[in-house]
Amino acid sequence: MTAALAAAAGAVGFSHSSLASPTQANSAVNIAALNATMGKAELSAVTTARIERRQLATRDSSRLQLAQTASVKKQAAADRTAKARAAKLDAYRKVTQVRATALARAKAAAEKAELLKLQSATRAEMMLTGYRITATFGQGGTRWARNHTGTDFAADLGTRIGAVMKGEVIQAEFSGPYGRQVKVRHTDGTVTSYSHMNSFSVSVGDLVYAGDKLGEVGSSGNSTGPHLHFEVLPDGETAINPMPWLRDHGLHP
């Protein structure tokens, strides 16, 4: 504050410390000027009111500026929070996508491995379930013209018969005393034979995998009841005991 301004303020009763703002100082100068020309006693109430209104307007303007500043800061803080949340959500989505992709790949790999397993030439399955063995390989008797050439698995009529291993169907026809008969040639050249069927589910030339349905248990041909007559022919001609062969392939009838 200049010396003249301080003197003017002192003339109208304002102390140096009470003039907190330029507006108040200007008001003091205005009052001092009026005092000098009109005399302190002649300062009108109208002039005093004008000065007070100016001071009030100044205070209101300051409050508005402070409010606007606070609003701007609040909005900026809200924007930062929103951006942080958006970034976090985007990161979560990316992680979720990566996990989903990894799971899909793992599932596809597992399905492929299972398919390869199902299509494996060495996988073996029992031909049927719910059976009982009623005749064995080499067994003699009046039911056969010569010793028994396979193993008989008795089961209910219509029981599902599956291929023991992967192979190509080379016969599916009615074959005299064997009744309805299916033969499958496997990868190593071994032929398996399924006889006395009630019906066929395959045709010559079909590719079958272990467990694929060939037909159903019946009693066609020379048969005393529903059963599967199963033979194993390593060279396609000469039958061997099926039981050791089945065990060698991990099956335990």
Side-chain angles (χ1 to χ4, degrees), residues 17 21 38 68 70 81 87-89 92 99 112-113 142 154 162 178 190 204 209 232 243 247 249:
S17 59
S21 67
M38 300 173 62
Q68 290 175 341
T81 301
K88 186 176 181 181
L89 181 59
Y92 175 77
R99 289 177 178 174
K112 182 178 180 180
T142 58
Y178 289 101
T190 298
V204 174
Y209 298 98
V232 176
M243 300 301 276
R247 287 192 288 270
H249 289 81

Side-chain angles (χ1 to χ4, degrees), residues 105-126:
R105 288 176 179 173
K107 183 179 179 181
E111 290 175 348
K112 182 178 180 180
E114 183 64 21
L115 179 61
L116 291 175
K117 180 181 177 182
L118 291 175
Q119 296 177 346
S120 170
T122 59
R123 189 173 69 91
E125 286 191 17
M126 279 299 296

